[in-house]
Amino acid sequence: MHIKQTKSLSSFKITVALGFFYWLKQQPGFKHDDHTYTTMVGILGRAKQFRAINKLLDQMVKDGCQPNVVTYNRLIHSYGRANYLNEAVNVFNQMQKAGCKPDRVTYCTLIDIHAKAGFLDFAMEMYQRMQAAGLSPDTFTYSVMINCLGKAGHLAASHKLFCEMVEQGCVPNLVTYNIIIALQAKARNYQSALKLYRDMQSAGFEPDKVTYSIVMEVLGHCGYLDEAEAVFSEMKRKNWVPDEPVYGLLVDLWGKAGNVEKAWEWYQTMLHTGLRPNVPTCNSLLSAFLRVHRLAEAYNLLQSMLNLGLSPSLQAYTLLLSCCTGAHSPYDMGYIVIMAVTGHPAHVFLLSLPSAGPDGQNVRDHASKFLDLMHSEDRESKRGLIDAVVDFLHKSGLKEEAGSVWEVAAQKNVYPDAVKEKSSCYWLINLHVMSDGTV
């Protein structure tokens, strides 16, 4: 009920804004300009109301107002946030045909949205085109590219670009340091991450909540959970008020360390400070309960999420499905009951999965509709779910269905560059984007 009210309130605000916009349009002596049109495009873009945007752009041109670079940039950003990358590139091409020259923000936005979606080659191409257009990278661009290279596994190139940035006189900011420290941490180069943290402080930068969180995570992964808690205390001493994600991190670290009691203790501490848990924190605690087969607590946690108006996420359902697949005990039925409680569309998808027909097209159609429904979920989450679904179907003896689901996912770019045929009977499989089970 709470979620429906929130959604309708959001729609109500958009309706009011659009109504006010058109009311102004009818007032004698008032004429909308490119600034007010662009503002309305931004509002509709955040709400993913693309049909309304296209209608508005048509009216904008009829009113004698041409979209400017800011209008196009907001449209590109809106499409990018909704994972409509082809449409974002189309806008980029349209603006140039209309004689509107892309600026640094245009290129940076395209680089950022494609890097986040895993299209790293395209992000690099945009970076090169930006330089060819005579636009020198700024701190934000360098930061995005450092992140892009790092996420592609090119840590050496990422660090080289960081050094180039400094040599070019482009001063790294706290965000840049946070990115490069986080990349080293993700690559499990924990000592390098801690050294960069010290270098950052030597350069005169004070850590923020993001930095503290990264360092706490590094210490946690090194097994130094008491030291991670000490960093939490330091953060409070420096007058940073811990927010929900910081408490969530401690819940996650202790849960992964197998100490469910400590994870639960930090969860309760967070609640006592008046903070409302978010879905990732609930997922972390859910994972901790499931690891030790405490299904009653897992069930109660999911019920409390629903009571708080939180919808169990795709990641939560993926976790439950993976545990169900790996369980060979009396707990199996318990997992299925909990999965049903989530009410997630993925559960409906699995329950209604048809048996493979002669050519498997019915399963492919079913999977295609589901992935269209999940379009705006991030690629990594969709990939994790498909891994879990394929593994579940395969171990359930539904091998044809498993193959058809994976085929559709590959066509919809859930697994970019996952499998490449180099020659007859010689294939390259990218283990970075598939679980061992799916491979």
Side-chain angles (χ1 to χ4, degrees):
M1 178 65 72
H2 178 81
I3 293 173
K4 287 181 180 176
Q5 286 176 345
T6 303
K7 285 185 176 177
S8 60
L9 180 61
S10 177
S11 301
F12 175 73
K13 286 180 178 177
I14 294 161
T15 303
V16 169
L18 200 56
F20 182 66
F21 178 88
Y22 284 119
W23 176 81
L24 278 174
K25 194 176 189 307
Q26 294 169 357
Q27 299 311 300
F30 183 86
K31 188 174 178 4
H32 282 298
D33 56 16
D34 55 358
H35 176 73
T36 54
Y37 270 109
T38 298
T39 302
M40 199 64 231
V41 166
I43 292 168
L44 292 171
R46 284 193 294 275
K48 302 176 186 176
Q49 300 286 330
F50 297 112
R51 285 184 183 176
I53 287 176
N54 290 329
K55 184 180 174 183
L56 193 70
L57 288 172
D58 288 341
Q59 290 178 357
M60 182 178 183
V61 174
K62 286 177 184 174
D63 281 354
C65 293
Q66 291 302 316
N68 57 30
V69 68
V70 179
T71 316
Y72 285 117
N73 286 347
R74 288 194 183 171
L75 196 49
I76 290 169
H77 184 252
S78 298
Y79 276 126
R81 282 181 61 191
N83 277 335
Y84 291 109
L85 301 188
N86 289 337
E87 287 79 355
V89 175
N90 288 339
V91 172
F92 173 69
N93 294 329
Q94 286 167 15
M95 72 185 288
Q96 292 173 91
K97 285 179 184 174
C100 185
K101 191 175 179 182
D103 62 6
R104 186 184 285 110
V105 174
T106 316
Y107 285 106
C108 285
T109 303
L110 286 163
I111 291 166
D112 190 36
I113 62 178
H114 282 85
K116 283 176 180 171
F119 296 99
L120 304 173
D121 289 344
F122 188 87
M124 288 298 295
E125 182 190 330
M126 283 294 108
Y127 178 61
Q128 289 157 2
R129 285 179 66 174
M130 182 187 77
Q131 290 177 304
L135 297 167
S136 58
D138 59 4
T139 300
F140 175 77
T141 318
Y142 272 119
S143 298
V144 169
M145 288 309 303
I146 288 166
N147 198 28
C148 177
L149 287 166
K151 284 188 172 177
H154 307 306
L155 278 180
S158 175
H159 193 265
K160 184 181 177 184
L161 193 62
F162 176 75
C163 296
E164 177 193 310
M165 174 184 183
V166 176
E167 288 166 9
Q168 293 294 326
C170 194
V171 182
N173 59 18
L174 186 59
V175 172
T176 318
Y177 274 108
N178 284 345
I179 286 170
I180 200 161
I181 292 169
L183 287 171
Q184 293 294 333
K186 192 171 183 180
R188 300 186 180 182
N189 298 329
Y190 298 129
Q191 295 309 317
S192 298
L194 292 172
K195 182 184 181 302
L196 281 163
Y197 175 59
R198 291 190 290 270
D199 290 346
M200 182 199 81
Q201 290 173 305
S202 299
F205 289 99
E206 284 287 331
D208 64 2
K209 272 192 286 195
V210 174
T211 325
Y212 281 124
S213 295
I214 296 166
V215 173
M216 285 163 63
E217 190 170 1
V218 167
L219 291 168
H221 286 306
C222 290
Y224 306 133
L225 272 80
D226 291 334
E227 287 81 352
E229 289 188 348
V231 172
F232 176 86
S233 300
E234 179 190 326
M235 180 176 66
K236 290 185 75 174
R237 282 198 307 274
K238 293 289 181 71
N239 296 320
W240 285 102
V241 178
D243 57 9
E244 198 284 337
V246 172
Y247 282 104
L249 174 63
L250 287 163
V251 171
D252 188 57
L253 290 175
W254 283 112
K256 284 176 178 170
N259 194 328
V260 182
E261 283 69 27
K262 263 282 195 180
W264 176 248
E265 183 184 311
W266 276 106
Y267 183 79
Q268 289 296 312
T269 302
M270 177 189 66
L271 294 178
H272 291 152
T273 60
L275 290 170
R276 182 173 179 266
N278 65 15
V279 172
T281 298
C282 293
N283 285 350
S284 295
L285 191 55
L286 179 67
S287 178
F289 285 141
L290 293 175
R291 279 195 192 97
V292 291
H293 304 297
R294 286 165 64 165
L295 299 194
E297 285 96 331
Y299 178 87
N300 290 336
L301 179 63
L302 281 170
Q303 289 288 7
S304 69
M305 284 178 70
L306 296 173
N307 292 337
L308 287 167
L310 297 172
S311 292
S313 66
L314 192 62
Q315 294 90 334
Y317 188 81
T318 301
L319 175 65
L320 284 162
L321 183 59
S322 297
C323 289
C324 181
T325 304
H328 300 288
S329 69
Y331 295 111
D332 290 27
M333 186 53 67
Y335 284 115
I336 293 169
V337 169
I338 298 172
M339 285 157 69
V341 168
T342 66
H344 198 278
H347 195 58
V348 177
F349 161 72
L350 271 179
L351 288 177
S352 55
L353 185 74
S355 298
D359 59 357
Q361 189 58 46
N362 58 340
V363 175
R364 287 194 290 275
D365 290 343
H366 188 68
S368 183
K369 286 176 185 175
F370 171 68
L371 284 171
D372 286 344
L373 182 66
M374 294 289 105
H375 182 85
S376 293
E377 292 278 356
D378 67 273
R379 185 172 51 85
E380 194 170 338
S381 298
K382 286 186 284 194
R383 190 177 67 203
L385 175 71
I386 298 302
D387 273 349
V389 167
V390 168
D391 197 26
F392 173 79
L393 294 173
H394 196 270
K395 287 178 179 173
S396 300
L398 302 171
K399 295 183 180 181
E400 279 189 60
E401 288 83 348
S404 295
V405 169
W406 191 85
E407 187 183 339
V408 171
Q411 287 170 353
K412 290 187 176 289
N413 208 52
V414 173
Y415 295 93
D417 301 325
V419 180
K420 289 183 179 178
E421 186 176 11
K422 301 297 286 185
S423 61
S424 179
C425 299
Y426 179 59
W427 298 76
L428 289 181
I429 300 175
N430 185 352
L431 292 174
H432 293 290
V433 296
M434 281 192 283
S435 71
D436 291 344
T438 304
V439 170

